[in-house]
Amino acid sequence: MKKFKRFVITDADCFIKGTESDDSHIIPMNEINFSRLEDFTESNIFPVMKKIILPDGQNALKPARYAGIITLKDGTQIELMPQICADSEENAIVSKKTLLYMLESMVEIPVRHVDELYFKKEQLNIFEICVRMFTDEVLNVVRNGLKQTYVPYRGNEMFVKGKTLYSEHAKKNFAHKEKFFVEYDVFSINRAENRLIKTTLARLNKLSTNTLNKKKINMLLMALDGVDFSTNILRDLKASIEDRSMSKYFNAMKWCRLFLLNKGTTTFFAGGKVAYAMLFPIDKLFCGCFASSLRRQLNRENYYFMTPEKITNSLSNTSLDLNMEPVSNFFIKNKTDDSIINIVFKFKDFTTCRGYDDDNCVVVFPVTEVLNRSVDNIKKNMYLIDLNDIDNSVSVLTETYFV
């Protein structure tokens, strides 16, 4: 199998066109791919890369607070990862683990805990990890038995069953009196959910470059041999059933929606200037993850968690204000004395933020100021976060609690 070029970059890196550079953070890229990446960025509402001009006057493309992967037409892979560790090899592992941890908070993506071999031995990118999770979910569906339902069947048969369609019967059987064109229901696995799964598998089979993933996809396509491909994805999505009888399908269907419904740069994108892109806005993930963690651990008997409407655990919600900036402000109310703590996020670039600014501000993944502003005589040192230092410059959100 052809080995493609692979870049793993962070907020501190940028691409330039063609020429070489002595700076490890300035990465040369051939002119064709640079133009493809530039066009892809310009064609989306939310720019994945931003244009900058280096001190020597060269044009460059720098990551713009998105994490994920972009695969260009020639197979070149560009992994965008948040900067967490100073060491690049360690960061490639830790950043993916942290990104998946944050994705677990999003309702659309059924991310589960994965083995570290995915990062260390197989070196899977975020797209291939998601493909592996999807195939595992489909395998679980197949092992538990594909669900069947009654679907209409039309055909020219030697027997009468259901109802005879006389207009078609007259056309087809004028010289064949022994046949009948009939319509009746058959109990079949060719239902909407199975069609969507098969269509998703076929699409991923064209995009995945991992040998094990492709092997599992081909095996699952054989298990779905009696199922048609979806000819109308939106219609099949509307026809899919979400009840207790289909509980084994829930996670698989979430993956189908992610891969089949192109959401631009907020989730999964295929076609156009790139082969595919799977990208997530870091600021939105951080807000959702932080809010989700607070909801789980806050003592509801003593405190009331008030989240603004725009901060949600959904990637489909914009979570942006009128200035296209992340909404990053919510409150915790003390039920005893009605005092309020206002938590504010301020998102900063990695290159301009180092360490702790003051006693009331800390740096949290991914390079984000978290201000606990005192209201109604609440002490300024009442922090709501517990940080685990990685390399004395950036910290990773691990757990949240009320001190």
Side-chain angles (χ1 to χ4, degrees), residues 12-226:
D13 302 317
C14 65
F15 287 111
I16 58 172
K17 190 184 299 183
T19 57
E20 295 184 358
S21 173
D22 295 332
D23 191 335
S24 61
H25 293 296
I26 300 176
I27 305 167
M29 176 179 280
N30 67 59
E31 187 172 346
I32 295 175
N33 281 342
F34 187 90
S35 298
R36 284 172 175 162
L37 188 59
E38 189 175 34
D39 290 343
F40 172 68
T41 299
E42 292 175 349
S43 64
N44 288 281
I45 299 174
F46 304 104
V48 181
M49 310 286 285
K50 57 185 177 183
K51 293 181 180 180
I52 61 171
I53 298 177
L54 299 178
D56 60 1
Q58 290 190 85
N59 292 323
L61 291 174
K62 184 182 180 65
R65 304 201 61 75
Y66 278 83
I69 182 169
I70 303 171
T71 299
L72 302 178
K73 289 291 187 181
D74 66 344
T76 300
Q77 292 184 348
I78 303 168
E79 288 188 66
L80 309 178
M81 287 291 125
Q83 182 77 47
I84 298 176
C85 305
D87 181 73
S88 59
E89 291 186 5
E90 185 182 2
N91 189 72
I93 297 172
V94 176
S95 60
K96 286 177 188 174
K97 290 175 63 177
T98 309
L99 179 61
L100 288 171
Y101 168 73
M102 300 178 83
L103 285 173
E104 287 181 34
S105 302
M106 300 295 110
V107 295
E108 301 97 333
I109 307 176
V111 169
R112 56 174 174 76
H113 178 73
V114 297
D115 197 305
E116 286 196 10
L117 290 177
Y118 284 12
F119 311 110
K120 295 182 179 178
K121 185 178 180 181
E122 293 195 64
Q123 295 184 335
L124 297 182
N125 60 52
I126 195 69
F127 169 71
E128 297 291 358
I129 291 172
C130 290
V131 171
R132 182 71 57 84
M133 291 182 185
F134 171 64
T135 55
D136 289 344
E137 292 294 344
V138 177
L139 185 60
N140 184 48
V141 168
V142 172
R143 284 174 175 169
N144 283 277
L146 295 171
K147 292 291 184 179
Q148 295 178 290
T149 190
Y150 285 102
V151 296
Y153 169 79
R154 289 185 176 188
N156 213 16
E157 305 292 351
M158 298 290 292
F159 53 83
V160 178
K161 185 177 182 180
K163 63 180 180 180
T164 303
L165 303 179
Y166 289 102
S167 59
E168 293 294 326
H169 177 71
K171 293 177 185 177
K172 297 182 180 294
N173 298 326
F174 180 77
H176 297 277
K177 304 299 183 182
E178 76 284 1
K179 289 190 174 183
F180 304 90
F181 197 91
V182 294
E183 181 182 67
Y184 57 93
D185 290 338
V186 295
F187 202 51
S188 170
I189 60 173
N190 190 28
R191 61 183 294 163
E193 294 86 354
N194 294 333
R195 289 195 297 270
L196 291 169
I197 288 174
K198 186 171 183 178
T199 303
T200 306
L201 287 169
R203 175 174 291 191
L204 296 179
N205 199 29
K206 296 178 182 178
L207 300 177
S208 177
T209 56
N210 180 264
T211 305
L212 181 56
N213 279 351
K214 293 182 75 70
K215 182 179 178 180
K216 293 181 72 174
I217 289 172
N218 288 319
M219 178 188 70
L220 291 168
L221 285 171
M222 291 177 62
L224 293 164
D225 187 49

Side-chain angles (χ1 to χ4, degrees), residues 332-399:
I332 292 178
K333 183 176 182 180
N334 190 321
K335 293 181 180 179
T336 305
D337 57 9
D338 290 333
S339 58
I340 295 175
I341 289 183
N342 179 207
I343 300 180
V344 180
F345 303 112
K346 286 190 177 181
F347 299 97
K348 305 181 77 174
D349 289 333
F350 176 77
T351 53
T352 61
C353 185
R354 288 290 187 276
Y356 299 89
D357 289 350
D358 55 56
D359 292 336
N360 197 34
C361 175
V362 291
V363 181
V364 187
F365 171 84
V367 195
T368 306
E369 289 184 14
V370 179
L371 306 178
N372 295 324
R373 295 184 176 175
S374 62
V375 179
D376 296 336
N377 299 319
I378 295 295
K379 295 180 181 179
K380 290 186 177 182
N381 62 356
M382 293 182 66
Y383 290 103
L384 291 160
I385 50 180
D386 177 26
L387 298 172
N388 177 29
D389 291 333
I390 297 296
D391 62 358
N392 297 322
S393 64
V394 183
S395 299
V396 180
L397 174 68
T398 55
E399 288 294 339

